[in-house]
Amino acid sequence: MSHDPSAGAEGKSLFSLQRRERLMEELRAHGAITVRDIAARFGVSELTIRRDVNTLADEGLVSRVHGGATLPSPLDRTAAVRPANHSYSIGMVVPSLDYYWPQVISGARAEAEVQNLRILVRGSAYDAADNRRQVQALLDTQNIDGLIVAPDMGGEHGQELLRWLNALPIPVVLAERRSPPEVPAHRLEWVATDHAFGAGMAVRHLWQEGHRRIGCLTDSSSPTSPHVVRGWQQALTALKIPVQGAVLEDSVKQVNGDRAQHFDQVLALCSATGTTAILVHSDTQAVAFVQHCVDRGLAVPGDIAVVGYDDEVAYLGEPAISAVRPPKQYVGKVAVQLVAARLAEGRMRPVHRVELNPDLILRDSSVGAPRAAAGALLDSP
């Protein structure tokens, strides 16, 4: 039998097409993917998935972000017809380029193209001093006209950073941050997700599923956690669930063996208080917590229901984890709109401070009534 060399090439092409179709299905289901996760799930190299992402991006089907891809906004295609010369340059400083913020950056870039603006992104850290260094580098080298920044606001250094940003002679918009009352930064504008509202949605969902004791597990090192805790407490009060004695635990810096011991302590508290559901921020922590529950022989959601927060990797849990999803791309989009409007209208424009509501994405980890009566949760070791 003769060998047709074109057959092998055709087969490889078919496999590539099938892989990219699956990749698009993942994007439509979840809004974003990471190269590492998809490569592991598909059983191929990360380089192969990067090539697939580049091919789809060249076709206008996806938007590349650091470490992965997102679905393009409808505005991305409009952006292609804009002229290359940009009217203004906007600096953007965010504390992470691999979690949460890539979608914010994607939304900002899409809107900047529509507005004929240039976006210059710098990664920073959750540290006020480094935030200031990165902003100063943009000011010194890029001749920027406006700034979008997600600063660390903790402590004296954070407050001093806000005062400095407020005094800059260019428009400054905070992304996913709000100036606290003790820093009267009257010129700063911001766009932020209403995380307290999102936490309240999660609590009400768990209540509707039949849970009457609902805990909260957060990470106090995150600027989001205080808002999540506030929304959780407000929802408990509205539902007449006692806040006093409710499970509220902090997972800051709990890693590896320490984290397992910490999760055991959380489960022991849940058992002692009859808590059958818990809201976990962030959803990376939620994935680890659900895995720990399963390892301890607990049924999720039958014994303990879980809702995560951020919806970055919650769908990777087993079972898949319900999660509150902030409108990350719209945070970036609206931030650019605020800067553009300020540049166009000047000081006559009132200061704008915008809150956006998140969505609650329901998956297996929280749907269904608790299997046992309150107080009958399996004892943890």
Side-chain angles (χ1 to χ4, degrees):
M1 181 182 294
S2 62
H3 175 68
D4 182 359
S6 66
E10 182 179 348
K12 290 181 181 178
S13 175
L14 177 60
F15 292 146
S16 298
L17 287 172
Q18 291 172 334
R19 194 173 56 246
R20 289 197 288 271
E21 286 175 1
R22 284 186 62 195
L23 195 151
M24 288 302 300
E25 288 174 0
E26 291 290 327
L27 275 168
R28 294 186 190 103
H30 307 296
I33 56 99
T34 65
V35 168
R36 179 183 301 173
D37 291 336
I38 292 299
R41 294 180 68 186
F42 287 11
V44 298
S45 69
E46 293 184 19
L47 178 59
T48 295
I49 297 301
R50 287 194 190 96
R51 287 172 176 163
D52 288 339
V53 168
N54 289 337
T55 298
L56 293 170
D58 291 342
E59 295 172 359
L61 297 175
V62 306
S63 294
R64 283 181 290 251
V65 297
H66 182 82
T70 65
L71 287 176
S73 79
L75 301 177
D76 288 338
R77 295 179 178 85
T78 307
V81 302
R82 290 288 180 176
N85 55 318
H86 299 97
S87 55
Y88 292 107
S89 294
I90 299 174
M92 189 172 186
V93 177
V94 297
S96 171
L97 293 175
D98 59 6
Y99 183 88
Y100 196 99
W101 295 95
Q103 291 191 55
V104 178
I105 295 168
S106 176
R109 281 179 166 157
E111 181 64 19
E113 289 296 327
V114 171
Q115 299 268 2
N116 195 27
L117 306 170
R118 183 171 65 136
I119 290 281
L120 301 159
V121 178
R122 291 184 75 95
S124 184
Y126 289 93
D127 176 77
D130 188 56
N131 297 158
R132 181 160 178 166
R133 282 193 295 270
Q134 301 303 331
V135 171
Q136 191 65 61
L138 287 170
L139 294 170
D140 292 343
T141 64
Q142 298 295 338
N143 193 29
I144 61 172
D145 303 290
L147 182 67
I148 299 168
V149 61
D152 178 81
M153 304 187 302
E156 182 178 340
H157 293 297
Q159 294 187 9
E160 179 55 36
L161 173 61
L162 285 176
R163 295 187 186 97
W164 178 70
L165 292 170
N166 185 64
L168 290 178
I170 60 174
V172 177
V173 172
L174 306 183
E176 291 290 25
R177 302 288 188 269
R178 305 164 181 82
S179 179
E182 58 268 26
V183 182
H186 59 283
R187 294 182 60 239
L188 292 181
E189 301 188 273
W190 62 69
V191 53
T193 302
D194 190 344
H195 296 300
F197 178 83
M201 279 199 303
V203 171
R204 286 177 171 81
H205 157 64
L206 292 167
W207 169 271
Q208 290 168 354
E209 293 297 315
H211 300 277
R212 295 300 178 261
R213 291 291 184 271
I214 301 167
C216 187
L217 179 61
T218 65
D219 179 346
S220 60
S221 67
S222 166
T224 300
S225 277
H227 304 292
V228 171
V229 171
R230 174 166 51 88
W232 168 77
Q233 291 173 331
Q234 290 172 344
L236 291 188
T237 300
L239 294 169
K240 295 182 170 52
I241 300 174
V243 176
Q244 188 72 25
V247 174
L248 173 59
E249 290 295 303
D250 184 5
S251 292
V252 65
K253 297 181 180 177
Q254 301 285 349
V255 296
N256 300 329
D258 291 339
R259 184 165 66 182
Q261 182 179 1
H262 173 64
F263 285 163
D264 281 340
Q265 293 170 350
V266 172
L267 289 174
L269 285 171
C270 289
S271 183
T273 58
T275 298
T276 57
I278 193 162
L279 170 63
V280 184
H281 175 257
S282 64
D283 65 330
T284 53
Q285 191 80 301
V287 170
F289 181 71
V290 166
Q291 178 176 306
H292 184 84
C293 291
V294 172
D295 290 346
R296 289 292 187 259
L298 297 174
V300 179
D303 292 315
I304 184 81
V306 177
V307 175
Y309 202 102
D310 282 348
D311 202 32
E312 285 284 307
V313 295
Y315 67 94
L316 296 174
E318 184 58 47
I321 300 170
S322 298
V324 178
R325 178 186 292 172
K328 300 160 202 168
Q329 289 207 14
Y330 269 85
V331 169
K333 174 180 177 177
V334 174
V336 170
Q337 290 173 343
L338 290 176
V339 174
R342 175 65 56 193
L343 289 169
E345 299 180 38
R347 291 184 176 270
M348 296 300 294
R349 175 180 166 84
V351 170
H352 281 50
R353 292 168 175 180
V354 180
E355 282 197 334
L356 304 175
N357 283 354
D359 291 323
L360 177 61
I361 309 302
L362 297 182
R363 302 187 180 101
D364 292 342
S365 70
S366 69
V367 177
R371 186 166 68 181
L377 182 64
L378 295 177
D379 290 334
S380 58

